Amino acid sequence: MSHSYAPPGQLWLLPQSQQEGLALDHRQVLGVVERAYRALRETGSDNPVKTIIEAPGDRSLSYSMVARDAASDTVCFKAVYEFDPRRARDGYRFHSFVFLCDDTTGAPIALMDVVKLGPLRSSATTALFAREACPDARSALVVGTGVQGQTALPMLLAALPGLDRLQVYGTYPDGLRAVRDSAGGRDVEIVEDLQKAAGEADIVIGAAGLSVREEVRRESMKPGAIAVLLGYGVHADVCHGADHRIATDTAQMHATGDDLRGPDGSLPTVDAELPDILLGRAPARRDPGDVVFAYNSGMAVTDAALGRYIADLALAAGRGERVTFW
């Protein structure tokens, strides 16, 4: 459905401050993201591989993405700039935004800060992986306590309400408290022995940043578990040693998964992609005892869909600022 987001010649700005407190429903977010993945196969969405620039010496990481979500008729242009991504210079900075356009009217929708939208759609994708591969899961471990780690559990609980053991591993007290607070009153254990915790979890989520100090190893994973990597915290040997490998998109994995490459520079074969899994065209696992590795690479088609969802909530709430731009 098309709305009037701004008069001709004006651009609607939605900084993060104007997105706080919106009535986001995690189950609706899951539905929006799932429809975006399905539309990649069913209704002609498009999501080219992202363009990436890495400065020498890990000084900065930059990338851009463009996509069209046919489910919502939304085009999205996304740009990200991350300075000091390994936190080596004590000068970390992160800037990101999406520019959304309505592909039925040709009108711009909004220019949005996506510091939280990105982790939200990534956590929804993680939850979809976990739901498809481990629908009867009872336990989950989150590695990392940044924004990605803090959005992982509420989305996972929306997809798998039967989870009854939640664990988190991290090194920052404030982040650990934030992850515990994110679980809506559910108990969250703070673990010190990462490998032991991984061996007891049905779902392992690698959501840490580049400064992660320890990663889950393949030998620690129990049969039937899934490890979802969307940042860091799951070692490359889980990818190479898994019984079944799934990904949001194989080409995207080859573009962004350099840390997973073997000594010869190769990546193992991806057995299934998430859009096909959601449509029942490919299995999330072959055997109940399979250790499944899932590579969650952000796809702009989900930024388009979720950005449109948030923009419509913000419009209904009278948020944002309109400026003369053209």
Side-chain angles (χ1 to χ4, degrees):
M1 179 178 179
S2 297
H3 299 286
S4 177
Y5 296 97
Q10 292 192 354
L11 178 62
W12 186 30
L13 305 180
L14 277 175
Q16 185 57 44
S17 61
Q18 291 294 311
Q19 300 174 45
E20 298 292 346
L22 290 174
L24 292 174
D25 183 298
H26 288 107
R27 286 170 295 182
Q28 289 183 5
V29 170
L30 280 170
V32 168
V33 173
E34 180 170 356
R35 285 192 293 276
Y37 282 117
R38 287 173 171 266
L40 278 168
R41 299 291 191 267
E42 291 184 316
T43 54
S45 295
D46 202 2
N47 194 109
V49 175
K50 66 177 66 173
T51 300
I52 305 170
I53 297 175
E54 296 181 78
D58 297 316
R59 186 175 71 249
S60 66
L61 172 67
S62 310
Y63 59 87
S64 62
M65 310 163 72
V66 61
R68 179 182 182 276
D69 174 42
S72 63
D73 286 316
T74 306
V75 171
C76 166
F77 301 87
K78 181 175 182 177
V80 176
Y81 174 72
E82 196 169 2
F83 183 78
D84 188 22
R86 292 188 181 274
R87 276 65 162 187
R89 298 175 173 82
D90 196 27
Y92 181 71
R93 302 291 297 276
F94 180 90
H95 306 287
S96 179
F97 67 85
V98 296
F99 175 48
L100 302 174
C101 293
D102 185 323
D103 204 35
T104 59
T105 67
I109 296 172
L111 183 70
M112 298 175 60
D113 185 318
V114 289
V115 68
K116 291 189 178 178
L117 185 154
L120 192 63
R121 59 93 158 112
S122 294
S123 293
T125 299
T126 293
L128 292 171
F129 273 130
R131 187 194 72 190
E132 296 301 308
C134 293
D136 300 319
R138 303 306 299 267
S139 58
L141 166 66
V142 176
V143 183
T145 61
V147 179
Q148 295 278 13
Q150 293 167 30
T151 57
L153 288 180
M155 197 63 68
L156 199 57
L157 288 167
L160 294 166
L163 290 170
D164 55 22
R165 186 181 186 190
L166 308 175
Q167 298 177 293
V168 59
Y169 174 84
T171 56
Y172 299 102
D174 289 346
L176 289 168
R177 282 192 291 271
V179 173
R180 296 183 76 174
D181 292 344
S182 75
R186 301 279 291 271
D187 183 56
V188 181
E189 305 170 38
I190 296 175
V191 303
E192 295 184 0
D193 188 332
L194 177 60
Q195 304 307 325
K196 180 177 183 296
E200 298 170 353
D202 298 314
I203 302 164
V204 174
I205 300 173
L210 276 165
S211 58
V212 65
R213 298 178 185 177
E214 186 180 3
E215 296 182 309
V216 172
R217 304 301 296 246
R218 170 63 179 88
E219 62 187 15
S220 299
M221 299 285 297
K222 73 175 187 178
I226 181 173
V228 185
L229 181 63
L230 63 148
Y232 299 86
V234 173
H235 196 272
D237 69 359
V238 181
C239 173
H240 288 263
D243 302 300
H244 193 67
R245 285 171 290 271
I246 56 183
T248 46
D249 182 86
T250 302
Q252 200 89 297
M253 179 173 170
H254 280 265
T256 63
D258 285 348
D259 290 341
L260 298 176
R261 295 187 182 278
D264 62 352
S266 66
L267 286 170
T269 301
V270 172
D271 298 297
E273 294 181 340
L274 184 57
D276 298 313
I277 293 170
L278 293 172
L279 289 167
R281 299 174 181 176
R285 62 167 63 250
R286 285 185 291 249
D287 184 88
D290 282 349
V291 169
V292 178
F293 173 83
Y295 188 72
N296 179 355
S297 178
M299 299 185 72
V301 70
T302 57
D303 290 294
L306 193 54
R308 184 67 175 263
Y309 168 76
I310 292 174
D312 287 343
L313 289 178
L315 185 69
R319 303 288 185 90
E321 176 185 1
R322 289 160 181 84
V323 297
T324 301
F325 194 82
W326 291 283

